[in-house]
Amino acid sequence: MHKQQLYDMDTSTVEWRKSSRSGPEQYCVGVAELGGGAMAVRDSKNPQRSDLRFTPEEWAAFRDGVRDGEFG
């Protein structure tokens, strides 16, 4: 899936999930599955702003980096 295809998708009906560790006064992101392993990410405190969309390969690289402690 190409980047432009991701941004052409209508996300008005996707199910956004927020971290269970987030609280009312904390910044948090929401994530939504776009199909085929692609994901969208947005600011859960400001959902009307644009989201970021990731191909399955980009999302896997990010996820693996988090698991490996690359962003700590």
Side-chain angles (χ1 to χ4, degrees):
M1 186 174 296
H2 298 288
K3 249 347 211 200
Q4 189 58 50
Q5 290 174 298
L6 291 177
Y7 281 97
D8 288 343
M9 294 177 78
D10 176 14
T11 58
S12 63
T13 61
V14 298
E15 182 179 335
W16 292 93
R17 294 177 293 141
K18 191 167 88 166
S19 171
S20 60
R21 294 182 180 235
S22 65
E25 300 301 319
Q26 297 171 325
Y27 294 106
C28 188
V29 297
V31 297
E33 296 180 37
L34 299 178
M39 299 293 285
V41 177
R42 72 177 182 184
D43 180 350
S44 64
K45 298 268 188 198
N46 202 353
Q48 70 276 10
R49 294 186 69 189
S50 298
D51 55 67
L52 300 173
R53 300 179 191 190
F54 299 92
T55 65
E57 297 80 16
E58 291 169 330
W59 187 253
F62 171 72
R63 183 195 61 225
D64 293 346
V66 170
R67 287 182 182 161
D68 293 342
E70 293 179 23
F71 305 108

